[in-house]
Amino acid sequence: MQTFKTKAFARFADREGLEDAALCEAVRRAGEGLIDADLGGGVIKQRIARKGGGRSSGFRTTVLFHRGALAFFVYGFAKSARENLRRDELVTYRLLANGYRVSGAGRDGSCDRAGDWSDNRGGMQ
């Protein structure tokens, strides 16, 4: 499964010390059907643990997810920073998820070449 992160998400992950292995683990869990919250329209929320802590008190990530094909990490936040996505954010992410699912973006690496996404293959095949 190809896994990508936006540049903004990559900055968030770097700032918070989230390693690619943790992102890949979240995608692996989702691929096995262990989705923390299905927000509909190809958008899921996956919890990622802080170093030395558990997932319940860690980070929340918003992922555009197409099982077996693509995962795009688009947003992340600490549980202590906010509760959930706003309605308008969720609508936007659903539109993005639908667009990538329909176009097949990323399957040929086009998102990576375009410079808007960074490839996060770290062990994911």
Side-chain angles (χ1 to χ4, degrees), residues 7-114:
K7 286 184 178 183
F9 184 90
R11 284 190 299 273
F12 162 79
D14 287 344
R15 183 177 63 246
E16 298 295 342
L18 284 174
E19 297 179 356
D20 286 351
L23 303 181
C24 291
E25 172 63 18
V27 170
R28 184 196 61 74
R29 286 193 334 263
E32 293 176 354
L34 300 172
I35 295 172
D36 293 322
D38 187 341
L39 304 176
V43 181
I44 63 171
K45 179 170 69 174
Q46 285 294 85
R47 295 180 179 109
I48 298 179
R50 290 181 187 271
K51 284 187 179 181
R55 288 195 310 258
S56 64
S57 63
F59 301 101
R60 305 299 182 256
T61 60
T62 302
V63 185
L64 311 182
F65 185 72
H66 186 119
R67 186 176 306 236
L70 300 168
F72 294 91
F73 283 86
V74 294
Y75 186 68
F77 57 96
K79 180 183 178 187
S80 60
R82 70 185 287 187
E83 287 293 316
N84 288 309
L85 296 174
R86 294 187 323 261
R87 181 101 169 117
D88 61 320
E89 291 172 319
L90 183 55
V91 168
T92 299
Y93 290 138
R94 286 176 178 162
L95 289 171
L96 280 171
N98 185 54
Y100 286 112
R101 196 169 45 250
V102 169
S103 72
R107 293 181 192 193
D108 63 355
S110 60
C111 289
D112 191 34
R113 282 196 301 273

